[in-house]
Amino acid sequence: MSEFKINYEHTAGPQLIGFDYQFYYFMYLILDLNQGEKIGFEVLDDIHIELANGSIELLQTKHTIQKNPKGEIVNLTERDSDLWKTINNWILFFKDSTDKDEYLNKTVFKLVTNKSINNNTFFENIIKLQRKEIKINVFSDYIKHLHVNTDSVDIKTQIESLKKLDNKTKSKFINQIQIISEPENIINLVKKRIRKLIVKEERVDDVYNSLVSNMQLDKFLTIIDRKKFEISFEDYSRRYGNCFDYAYEKTVLPKRELNLIFPKDLKSQTFIKQLIDIGETFESDSDEILRYTTAMLKTFNSLNDWKENGEILSTQIIAFDEDAIFIWNRIFKDRYRDYKVKINSGEILHDEILIKQIAIQCMSEVRKEKLKLKNDELNEELSNGQFYILSNEPRIGWHIDWEKKYKK
């Protein structure tokens, strides 16, 4: 099977992860946005932030999956292609600007990477220059030396773009550069920032999932429409404030996708037998039986998940059952009232056809009910699922004689 082995380095996987890293870092930054600020995705750079004072931060994100023999993420070296592509891009931005002095005065350049920056001589010299521990001529000599001793033609050309800047411009440019190493998993960083905002650890994943899905969708729809994906602090509050409802509204129960384990014989379930008995469904209608079972299992799993994660209490589940039974009982009695009166008066005898008609009417009316749990209105599928659970136990039924038929 070796001939079918895929060379992972030549697949799109690492590149796609780089795009994802950029988006998650965008999320990470937007969670810390301040009033009067605006953040953009793939507008002025990979990411940019317009600050309230008129300054701009340009961010390039570089992610790697490469590891050294110790299993650690590789270092960002002084001749790293990611480093010099970024530096070269920023110099091109600067050269294209109308007022170059103003551009350098108001622009901060940030390289964000998951690579380690330990023992990076280029970065160390940037810090020394910014702290005035060395002068610009010493830094320029270092760049010349680096240029001469670099073999890669592409990197050599990129280093030369910095080397050619006059010392005054070079000094201003270097003083605006920041290299940020974020070796920790970016998703963990995003969740930590959410946790800091909402405090409740148990709600972090719910808020995170809501933010990711909504921001991803907005980004896609905006860019595909050839518009700029930029979000101000005010936009962020307005467009994504509801994503935090999971943390702050006690009435909202998180909706999660949970694995469903179906019984081997769907038709042997008591609630399905009840539905077949009244003619609401048929043994041959496997699709419909599967749909009803899916609704029941979704409700069953959700109730257990909410209980296990502390969203609801056992007493609230008991009250939820009682409320559903109360609704069923009201509808059941209303539907069978006239039939019972006629039976008791002797006006009619037992009529199985009429019973099944009434049972289906009862079932249909119950299905229209939207149940509430912790004042959170459940959707129709989960509400129906709750009635299926109760008729499976069975604590409710549809045929007038359901207790004799199914209750043991």
Side-chain angles (χ1 to χ4, degrees), residues 116-235:
S116 170
I117 57 176
N118 294 331
N119 304 315
N120 185 313
T121 308
F122 177 74
F123 179 62
E124 290 170 357
N125 280 323
I126 284 179
I127 297 298
K128 286 178 182 179
L129 184 65
Q130 291 174 349
R131 292 176 178 172
K132 300 188 177 182
E133 295 173 3
I134 60 172
K135 293 185 177 180
I136 187 59
N137 61 320
V138 174
F139 183 85
S140 293
D141 288 341
Y142 160 71
I143 295 299
K144 290 175 185 176
H145 176 78
L146 189 64
H147 179 262
V148 170
N149 291 281
T150 297
D151 295 327
S152 168
V153 175
D154 289 339
I155 296 175
K156 196 179 188 76
T157 302
Q158 291 158 355
I159 294 174
E160 188 174 10
S161 67
L162 177 61
K163 175 172 141 313
K164 283 183 176 179
L165 295 179
D166 64 79
N167 279 354
K168 181 180 177 182
T169 302
K170 193 184 300 174
S171 179
K172 278 181 124 180
F173 175 63
I174 294 300
N175 272 287
Q176 297 296 88
I177 290 177
Q178 296 178 25
I179 300 179
I180 302 166
S181 174
E182 292 285 9
E184 186 174 350
N185 183 296
I186 184 59
I187 293 176
N188 290 342
L189 290 175
V190 171
K191 289 185 177 182
K192 283 181 180 179
R193 189 156 277 182
I194 292 172
R195 169 78 190 280
K196 187 176 179 181
L197 291 171
I198 69 172
V199 181
K200 296 180 179 180
E201 185 176 8
E202 68 274 14
R203 295 292 192 177
V204 168
D205 283 347
D206 300 314
V207 174
Y208 167 81
N209 290 332
S210 183
L211 282 170
V212 168
S213 58
N214 282 284
M215 284 187 187
Q216 283 276 27
L217 180 61
D218 285 351
K219 174 174 69 71
F220 176 81
L221 294 176
T222 302
I223 294 175
I224 203 172
D225 202 26
R226 297 184 179 276
K227 294 179 182 178
K228 296 178 180 178
F229 188 55
E230 296 179 295
I231 300 172
S232 67
F233 176 82
E234 291 71 24
D235 292 334

